[in-house]
Amino acid sequence: MAESVALTTPRESFAFEQGDAPDEAFLSAYQKNRLHHAWLLCGPQGLGKASFAFRCARFLMGKDRDPSHGALGMSPDDADVRLITAGSHPDLLVLEREMGESKLKKNISVDAVREIGEFFSKAPSRSPYRVCIIDSVDDLNINSANALLKILEEPPRKGILFLISHSPGRLLPTIRSRCRRLTFAPWTDQAVSTFLRARTEIDDEHQARLVRLAHGAPGKALTLMEEGALDMDAFAGRLLERPLPPRAELMQAAAMFKSSSAKNDGAKKFATFMACLTDRLHDRSLSAETSQKGQTYSQLWSRLNMAVGEVESVNLDRGDYFWSIYNELANLS
């Protein structure tokens, strides 16, 4: 069921959909000459926070305004905008997790964060501002977070930081207090559905499942589709039916969850599978024929809802954990 979806990267995204509040807040600060040196962009993953950060970078660094792309709209033909899109603008620094030998590293390193200080120590070379985007600040470890805090304590002249956070409550309070916060609200299910309909050709049933799993984040819906979440969702559904999937298929799933490589991110696939399974368990708890069955499903849902965090925090074997889940599901009457 997995389909190929043409995902637009934040660098390439010129349209900011579903609400002008962030654009207007940033534009107002810019026009009043009260532009904060650090902006904390908060909200669930998939709401366009990174796209907004690049919109602001283009607005600050480019020259050719284009209102057809919104309040912060810039012409794609502007010379600075083209450099930003190509990832080669000398006044823009983007920090993300780096690729290790076989997979993405868990954190943005302290050395990478220290590069920001060096970057801001220089004057802009061709634009009015130097801009740094951290996607995401949630990926900092304690050392890199403290290194960032030192930079925030000494605001750079003609330097602007955009810190993207999916879980701002987990950040150091001292980091949060030194930023201006913009919160991105989840979309309505109808808005996400309309967004998907304009970009995909899947049927209504599968579209409804993606909307449900996305929890108001349109970008997440597209990413889930690209990653084969619909197949994973169907597999999770079959684990709650009879007959159960054949053992060969179960062994293949366990091996996939256990794997960890550049080609197969078992942790990500396991997290997607658990999101699908717990969503279906929640539905079962509400529609069970008896209150006893409903309670059984509800208790299992409540416990498995914490499974991904538990597995990752103590480094449990994801394949073995899958088999334990399977055994519980097999014993459900």
Side-chain angles (χ1 to χ4, degrees):
M1 183 62 219
E3 293 190 21
S4 178
V5 184
L7 298 178
T8 301
T9 68
R11 284 183 184 275
E12 302 167 325
S13 178
F14 282 78
F16 188 73
E17 304 176 63
Q18 196 65 17
D20 298 322
D23 279 33
E24 292 171 355
F26 188 84
L27 182 61
S28 175
Y30 175 83
Q31 291 174 335
K32 294 176 181 177
N33 199 28
R34 298 178 62 182
L35 204 57
H36 203 283
H37 69 281
W39 295 74
L40 183 60
L41 312 182
C42 307
Q45 195 163 6
L47 291 177
K49 301 187 297 297
S51 295
F52 174 79
F54 277 99
R55 281 171 63 77
C56 293
R58 290 192 292 263
F59 180 82
L60 291 171
M61 301 165 73
K63 301 175 182 64
D64 191 3
R65 310 288 191 220
D66 186 348
S68 68
H69 291 296
L72 300 178
M74 299 294 296
S75 169
D77 296 324
D78 179 275
D80 289 283
V81 169
R82 290 201 305 270
L83 288 172
I84 291 171
T85 303
S88 56
H89 199 295
D91 294 324
L92 176 65
L93 176 65
V94 180
L95 292 190
E96 301 171 297
R97 285 187 296 159
E98 298 175 347
M99 179 63 72
E101 293 183 2
S102 62
K103 60 180 181 179
L104 281 175
K105 295 181 179 179
K106 285 189 175 181
N107 302 113
I108 296 175
S109 70
V110 64
D111 289 336
V113 173
R114 286 171 179 159
E115 290 180 16
I116 302 175
E118 176 66 21
F119 174 73
F120 281 134
S121 70
K122 302 172 183 177
S125 62
R126 57 172 292 145
S127 299
Y129 293 89
R130 298 207 107 188
V131 175
C132 174
I133 298 172
I134 303 181
D135 186 11
S136 73
V137 72
D138 306 330
D139 295 327
L140 302 180
N141 58 32
I142 187 62
N143 292 326
S144 50
N146 283 324
L148 175 63
L149 181 58
K150 291 181 180 179
I151 295 169
L152 294 175
E153 289 172 342
E154 300 177 5
R157 185 174 180 274
K158 292 296 182 180
I160 307 290
L161 291 101
F162 294 96
L163 313 180
I164 297 165
S165 178
H166 316 307
S167 304
R170 297 172 60 185
L171 301 178
L172 292 175
T174 44
I175 287 181
R176 294 199 303 267
S177 67
R178 285 166 172 76
C179 301
R180 172 161 177 183
R181 183 166 175 161
L182 286 181
T183 299
F184 292 68
W187 294 21
T188 65
D189 285 353
Q190 181 58 51
V192 176
S193 182
T194 300
F195 179 89
L196 283 175
R197 194 176 298 114
R199 292 163 175 81
T200 69
E201 297 181 355
I202 56 175
D203 59 45
D204 291 345
E205 180 182 354
H206 288 112
Q207 180 176 288
R209 286 302 298 163
L210 283 176
V211 170
R212 175 73 177 264
L213 294 169
H215 299 291
K220 183 178 180 181
L222 287 180
T223 300
L224 285 169
M225 183 175 173
E226 175 71 11
E227 293 176 349
L230 290 173
D231 291 331
M232 202 75 73
D233 184 54
F235 176 64
R238 290 168 57 215
L239 289 174
L240 295 171
E241 303 291 345
R242 297 297 183 272
L244 290 164
R247 189 167 184 82
E249 185 177 353
L250 298 171
M251 293 177 67
Q252 184 180 23
M256 176 179 63
F257 296 145
K258 188 173 183 175
S259 173
S260 181
S261 67
K263 291 184 178 180
N264 181 64
D265 189 338
K268 182 181 290 186
K269 285 184 167 58
F270 181 73
T272 299
F273 164 73
M274 291 305 301
C276 296
L277 179 61
T278 52
D279 183 75
R280 288 182 175 273
L281 283 170
H282 185 260
D283 278 352
R284 288 294 181 96
S285 70
L286 296 176
S287 61
E289 297 175 356
T290 65
S291 59
Q292 184 177 1
K293 284 187 177 180
Q295 186 176 18
T296 299
Y297 283 120
S298 180
Q299 290 174 346
L300 186 56
W301 167 81
S302 180
R303 186 156 46 80
L304 294 185
N305 221 24
M306 309 295 291
V308 174
E310 177 186 350
V311 168
E312 295 304 316
S313 63
V314 296
N315 201 28
L316 295 177
D317 186 294
R318 292 184 295 272
D320 290 345
Y321 201 96
F322 167 73
W323 282 116
S324 70
I325 294 172
Y326 166 76
N327 289 330
E328 286 199 68
L329 297 177
N331 290 327
L332 288 176
S333 58

